[in-house]
Amino acid sequence: MADIPESANKGLENIVACTSEISTIFDVTLLYRGYTIEDLSEHCGFEEIVYLLWEGKLPNRAQLDAFSQDLHQSMNLPSEFMPVLEKIAATQAHPMSKLRTAISHYALLDSSNVEDISPANTRKLALRLTGAFGPIVAALSRYEQGQKPVAAQPGKTIAWNFLNMVRGKAPTAEEERLYDTALVLHADHELNASTFTARVVASTTSDYYSDIVGAICSLKGPLHGGANEAVMIMLKEIGSMAKVDAYVADAIDNKKKVMGIGHRVYKNGDPRARILKELSLETCKKAGLEEQHRMLVRIQETMESKKGLMPNVDFFSGLVYTALGIRSRDFTPIFAMSRVSGWSAQVFEQYANNRIYRPRAFFTGPTNLKVKPIEQR
């Protein structure tokens, strides 16, 4: 066999698969439609970001009000859907498997023509699902804990409503702001695994809901969506600030992975991690998690000085969610709650300029085999 060409990269590293105007890692930051994530997270709420990703521009006040109203219309879930959610929640499955099944069933309740992938219809389906996503995640969480779901309140943001629905307690302005920022930071991220999955499914001209379910299946994998929960497990394993240095030294000496550290594309640090690090300290203090925050900072400093590696967004996001009173089982589902906005934008773009994805594989198997009669095998 011929030598494997350099172009046959594992993981498609450095392979450009499509063109996009939605988001990109540019220099040392992340851009949504040309705006830096630092600028957007400081000045815009999640609803504005969804509009930006879908429409290509930031809304004015009238546009935002109308869009938010459309988006929020599906936050109160259909009554016939609730017994189904309760049954799904009662299973022993992985939370992302439950979410995948819930979204598939939610699609079956859509009375419109879901096979219509025209821009107008796909956008209508995306409004319906994006508005309902948080309530679905919250309802599954509540049912798992033997509690009844909490209805959405009109006039409140997606961030406020989700925290109220999942905890049964209204968030403070500080908590709402922190969670809203987390949603903004996770909304889209170039051509990551789940986004690429959504675009691959869309490239076959499958329906919108199938595109999103495919993305959920990809996000479920612990190498993609589950890293923030792994960071919290790591903190519990370390136990205290006094044991951080020994833990990191052992990890370096034995070439163990330190969860939440490093990123394939960001070589100078993930800007989203910097934002969460700064915003989360006060909330962590109020939640009694100041030591855990200091532990993460110490791990970050040590890994940067000794290995030249810096944290990604998952490094601080799990602690943020914990400080907000969210269970670790819900971390990856709420990642999807934010990312559905980006998946939808990417699907819109794929449909608009479509060509089915059909890469090649470099064959490394034998080529000269002959079939023997079954008696001789």
Side-chain angles (χ1 to χ4, degrees):
M1 295 298 295
D3 292 336
I4 300 175
E6 291 184 6
S7 59
N9 290 7
K10 287 185 177 180
L12 299 181
E13 187 168 359
N14 298 320
I15 299 297
V16 175
C18 66
T19 61
S20 179
E21 298 180 351
I22 300 169
S23 69
T24 189
I25 296 170
F26 179 77
D27 196 11
V28 295
T29 191
L30 171 64
L31 304 181
Y32 293 167
R33 299 287 190 179
Y35 296 93
T36 69
I37 197 66
E38 292 89 347
D39 198 14
L40 292 171
S41 63
E42 182 178 356
H43 297 108
C44 298
F46 181 58
E47 284 83 346
E48 290 175 89
I49 297 304
V50 181
Y51 188 99
L52 171 65
L53 292 174
W54 293 7
E55 304 298 333
K57 61 182 181 180
L58 287 169
N60 59 32
R61 174 53 61 186
Q63 290 169 331
L64 178 60
D65 289 346
F67 181 73
S68 296
Q69 185 175 2
D70 290 343
L71 198 59
H72 295 170
Q73 281 183 349
S74 56
M75 290 188 73
N76 284 313
L77 303 174
S79 58
E80 65 270 28
F81 185 43
M82 305 314 290
V84 176
L85 277 181
E86 189 170 11
K87 289 180 180 178
I88 293 171
T91 68
Q92 298 301 310
H94 187 284
M96 288 296 285
S97 296
K98 296 182 183 185
L99 180 63
R100 173 199 67 209
T101 304
I103 298 302
S104 287
H105 192 90
Y106 185 74
L108 298 179
L109 299 177
D110 195 326
S111 60
S112 61
N113 180 10
V114 299
E115 305 301 329
D116 176 6
I117 62 170
S118 66
N121 193 61
T122 304
R123 189 181 185 281
K124 182 182 72 173
L125 300 180
L127 277 168
R128 178 177 183 263
L129 181 58
T130 304
F133 217 102
I136 291 173
V137 172
L140 285 171
S141 179
R142 300 278 294 180
Y143 278 135
E144 276 192 350
Q145 300 173 77
Q147 301 167 335
K148 292 184 178 180
V150 176
Q153 291 194 25
K156 299 293 187 180
T157 64
I158 287 175
W160 189 98
N161 263 303
F162 179 77
L163 289 177
N164 186 58
M165 287 186 291
V166 78
R167 306 183 313 180
K169 181 179 71 173
T172 65
E174 181 185 77
E175 289 175 330
E176 179 187 9
R177 162 72 174 146
L178 180 57
Y179 185 63
D180 190 75
T181 300
L183 292 177
V184 169
L185 297 178
H186 287 85
D188 200 55
H189 200 233
E190 209 184 51
L191 208 59
N192 57 82
S194 58
T195 297
F196 186 52
T197 302
R199 292 193 73 133
V200 169
V201 179
S203 79
T204 71
T205 65
S206 188
D207 69 282
Y208 167 80
Y209 287 113
S210 294
D211 305 339
I212 302 304
V213 170
I216 291 170
C217 294
S218 184
L219 185 65
K220 176 189 174 185
L223 291 183
H224 187 13
N228 50 16
E229 184 176 0
V231 171
M232 296 307 298
I233 293 171
M234 177 181 71
L235 285 178
K236 290 181 180 178
E237 182 180 342
I238 296 172
S240 68
M241 184 70 182
K243 298 179 181 179
V244 168
D245 289 351
Y247 179 91
V248 176
D250 178 72
I252 292 174
D253 290 344
N254 293 286
K255 295 182 170 53
K256 298 177 184 177
K257 182 172 177 58
V258 177
M259 300 309 301
I261 294 292
H263 194 280
R264 181 180 290 189
V265 183
Y266 292 114
K267 302 307 178 187
N268 295 306
D270 188 334
R272 302 169 300 170
R274 290 194 295 269
I275 293 167
L276 285 181
K277 175 185 176 182
E278 294 169 4
L279 285 180
S280 61
L281 179 56
E282 288 305 313
T283 302
C284 287
K285 286 181 178 179
K286 292 178 180 178
L289 296 170
E290 184 178 5
E291 182 179 21
Q292 285 84 343
H293 193 279
R294 289 193 295 113
M295 289 167 68
L296 289 181
V297 172
R298 180 62 178 170
I299 294 169
Q300 173 189 347
E301 293 170 347
T302 306
M303 289 299 293
E304 185 174 351
S305 65
K306 293 191 175 182
K307 297 294 291 182
L309 297 174
M310 287 174 274
N312 55 54
V313 69
D314 298 310
F315 192 66
F316 286 100
S317 63
L319 188 61
V320 166
Y321 299 147
T322 301
L324 290 171
I326 299 171
R327 303 182 309 157
S328 60
R329 276 182 62 80
D330 297 327
F331 288 175
T332 310
I334 62 176
F335 189 150
M337 171 191 166
S338 171
R339 188 56 59 83
V340 69
S341 60
W343 291 335
S344 298
Q346 299 275 351
V347 165
F348 300 164
E349 189 175 68
Q350 185 67 41
Y351 283 152
N353 187 29
N354 189 50
R355 183 173 174 81
I356 189 171
Y357 283 98
R358 195 354 183 142
R360 299 292 305 279
F362 189 84
F363 183 69
T364 58
T367 58
N368 58 352
L369 300 182
K370 298 294 183 181
V371 177
K372 296 179 179 180
I374 193 167
E375 293 80 6
Q376 299 177 21
R377 295 179 206 162

